[in-house]
Every structure is written in C-alpha cells, then in structure tokens.
Amino acid sequence: DWVLFVEDGLASAAVALVAMAAFNLANKLCVKSYAKVIALIVFCFGISFQEIHWLSPVYMIFGGLLAFLKHRCDENKSREKNHIENGNCEPTKIEEAEFEGDDDISFSYSRSTGYVLLLLWLALLFGAILLKETSDIMQLQLLSTFFYVGSIIFGGGPVVIPLLYTYVVVPGWADSSSFLLGLAVINSMPGPNFNFAAFCGALVMRPFGFAQSLLGAVIAWFGIFCPGLMVKTGILPLWRHYRGFPLMQKVFEGVNAAAVGLVFTATFQLSQKALAIKADGTLGGPFQLGSEPIFVAVAAVTFVGVRYMSIPPPIAVVGGGVVGLAQYFVH
C-alpha cells in the first residue's frame, strides 16, 4: 500500500505542475480580452465533453476562426472611423505588409519544396486518421495516433499533456494513475514534455511484454516528433513571407488561446482521477484530488513553491512523494 500513497503524493505534485503550466501559458498567450474569452469557452466545452476526443482539433480551429472574425470586425471599424474622420469616399485599406527584417536569411530549398513537404505531411495525416480508425494492429494504431497528436499540437510543450491524456487515457489504453505517475517523473527530469510520449507509448504496450513496451516507446516518440519536423521544414521558406501579415498573427493568437483552454481542461481532468488510494487506505480508485485535503495541500504547496519561490520541480515532485509516504505511516 505504501507505493500507492507515494504515487498519490507524486500525482498531486504533477497536477500542480500542469496547473502552473496552464497559468504561465495563460499569462503569456492570453493577454487580450478576446483571447481570455476563447480560452474560457474551450475550457467550458472541454470539461463538459471530455469523452469526445476528436473535439481537440476542432477547438483549435474554433479559436482561430473567432480570432479571424474579431480581426475583420476591428478592421471594418477602423475603416469606418477613417472614413468619418478623413471624409473619404473610399474606405482606407489596412495594409498587410510583408515582414521585413530577415531578408539576409536564405534556405537551401525553395518555397515549392516547402509546399511539397506540407502536402506530404497532409497525406500522411489523412493516412494516420484512416489507420487509427480501421487498423486492428496495435502498433499501427499507436503510430497513427501519435502522428495525429503530433500534427495537431499547437502552443508549446504544455499542450501535449491534455492531448496525450485525451488519446491515451480516455480510450482506455492506460489508466489515469499511471499517466500521472509518469508525468511526475518526467517533470523531475530534464528534457521537453514531448518526451513524455515515449513513456505513454511504453505504457500502452506494457501488457504485451517488455520488448513490445520498448517498441511502443520508440513508435510513440517517432510518431509525435515526425509531423512537427515535417511541418517546420515545410513552413520555414514560407514563414518569412507570411508571418508579418496581421491576419496570420491574429489567427495564431486565437489558436494559442484555445490551446491554453485545453491545458486548463487537462488540469481539471487529471485532478478528477489523480488518487489511487484514499488517505484512510480505501482502495477502489481513481479518486478525485479534492476528496483528500492532505493531497490538495501537496498540490497547493507545489504550485506556490515552484511558481513563486523558485523551488525546482524535481524537488517539489520528490517532496510530494515524501508526504505521501508520511501519510502511509500516519495511516
């Protein structure tokens, strides 16, 4: 039983770190009021329709679309104001000038090559969606799922957590406690959150033996990194031309805001199934984090300690495990 208590402490700290990532991401990406509204809407829908995993990319599109509409409304208001103030018969057009400043950067391949790479990525993405829904081979399902997840991630490392939870835990490939335990371990080690995909792949293939578990880690790691590398390579020669367009910037702001909402959704989802055992020794979990004050305290101390007192995340995670072990002896 002591292992379960330690696991509860580690999981509580992991939930706090995800909450902190959501908080930091919101402060960085949701500066404007409409971005906060988009994040709130995505969060509300996310916690209300947790079982519908295909909604994650829809939320991203929704965020970009709302930002696009907001940009068009602001543009029309600006034109009308210009028209009234200047007395022009023709409304002033807001220029979308090309971004200047990287003219000295050159690439060894052309825009055409970039378009080809993006088309190849799209073809592989559609193939992955098809395989994910039709294949009975677990390895192919794993590869297609992680390729799909790697393709729709937008907003940085923290966004990978809700997507992996949605496509690994929600379908029943892994349980929430093991997912949180792995998340706690990953947060106590150096490296990006994307490496957590390797753990999830191993977790999914664990019932098939050690060799298959290692294979699952490799498949998941390759699957989640491959689309990002393809898209980045394809977009690089195009990005200099398009990134200065105000419309593109606004759309990305909306997509980023939706990603923030997804991370907050992940925080809620993880907290609902964070504990493997209750503080009094009751089994039969997972249990809600809020049902045990001692582990709520662990999460709160972890959040404040890491966010405001510069305590290293590994120390905070180990501290959560120590509190869980202490709770075992008290029990």
Side-chain angles (χ1 to χ4, degrees):
D1 286 353
W2 70 270
V3 175
L4 295 179
F5 278 95
V6 172
E7 184 179 319
D8 280 359
L10 295 174
S12 302
V15 171
L17 292 177
V18 176
M20 190 189 69
F23 181 77
N24 291 339
L25 207 61
N27 284 337
K28 179 181 178 182
L29 301 178
C30 295
V31 179
K32 298 178 180 177
S33 298
Y34 78 87
K36 293 181 175 68
V37 172
I38 291 174
L40 177 62
I41 292 173
V42 170
F43 171 73
C44 292
F45 275 89
I47 63 174
S48 301
F49 302 99
Q50 299 179 46
E51 303 300 323
I52 309 177
H53 55 269
W54 55 263
L55 282 177
S56 295
V58 174
Y59 295 141
M60 301 283 196
I61 297 171
F62 168 77
L65 181 60
L66 275 189
F68 168 78
L69 294 174
K70 176 69 166 58
H71 172 71
R72 285 306 185 198
C73 288
D74 290 345
E75 189 178 56
N76 290 335
K77 288 179 181 178
S78 179
R79 287 175 176 172
E80 291 174 3
K81 182 179 179 181
N82 237 339
H83 176 66
I84 293 172
E85 291 179 351
N86 299 331
N88 295 333
C89 294
E90 295 291 333
T92 304
K93 177 177 174 54
I94 296 179
E95 296 293 335
E96 294 187 344
E98 183 175 344
F99 181 83
E100 297 178 358
D102 290 336
D103 292 335
D104 57 332
I105 297 177
S106 59
F107 298 94
S108 58
Y109 53 96
S110 65
R111 287 187 192 176
S112 299
T113 305
Y115 285 123
V116 169
L117 284 171
L118 291 176
L119 288 174
L120 177 60
W121 163 70
L122 282 174
L124 290 175
L125 175 59
F126 283 118
I129 294 173
L130 187 62
L131 269 178
K132 189 165 69 76
E133 299 298 331
T134 59
S135 178
D136 294 327
I137 302 173
M138 193 61 196
Q139 290 84 349
L140 289 178
Q141 286 189 21
L142 186 66
L143 177 61
S144 59
T145 297
F146 277 79
F147 188 93
Y148 176 73
V149 170
S151 297
I152 64 174
I153 287 176
F154 196 97
V159 184
V160 76
I161 297 168
L163 291 176
L164 288 178
Y165 185 90
T166 299
Y167 290 96
V168 172
V169 178
V170 173
W173 282 359
D175 60 271
S176 182
S177 298
S178 298
F179 182 90
L180 271 171
L181 182 61
L183 185 59
V185 173
I186 288 293
N187 276 287
S188 65
M189 299 174 68
N193 282 335
F194 280 80
N195 287 333
F196 184 46
F199 172 83
C200 290
L203 192 63
V204 171
M205 299 301 293
R206 183 176 56 176
F208 303 99
F210 180 73
Q212 288 295 318
S213 185
L214 286 179
L215 178 61
V218 173
I219 289 174
W221 185 86
F222 174 81
I224 204 163
F225 277 103
C226 183
L229 291 173
M230 293 181 69
V231 171
K232 180 180 179 180
T233 306
I235 283 181
L236 272 177
L238 314 173
W239 183 238
R240 183 179 60 179
H241 178 70
Y242 292 110
R243 72 172 182 175
F245 285 29
L247 177 59
M248 294 295 294
Q249 294 172 353
K250 294 296 182 182
V251 169
F252 284 139
E253 285 178 6
V255 176
N256 279 329
V260 171
L262 286 177
V263 181
F264 276 107
T265 300
T267 305
F268 173 80
Q269 290 175 324
L270 293 173
S271 69
Q272 294 299 102
K273 298 180 179 180
L275 306 180
I277 187 172
K278 285 203 168 188
D280 61 2
T282 302
L283 295 171
F287 302 103
Q288 294 181 12
L289 177 62
S291 65
E292 296 299 332
I294 182 66
F295 293 115
V296 173
V298 169
V301 171
T302 300
F303 184 96
V304 173
V306 176
R307 179 69 177 81
Y308 297 105
M309 301 174 66
S310 301
I311 295 176
I315 301 299
V317 170
V318 172
V322 170
V323 172
L325 185 61
Q327 179 63 28
Y328 165 75
F329 286 112
V330 170
H331 164 70

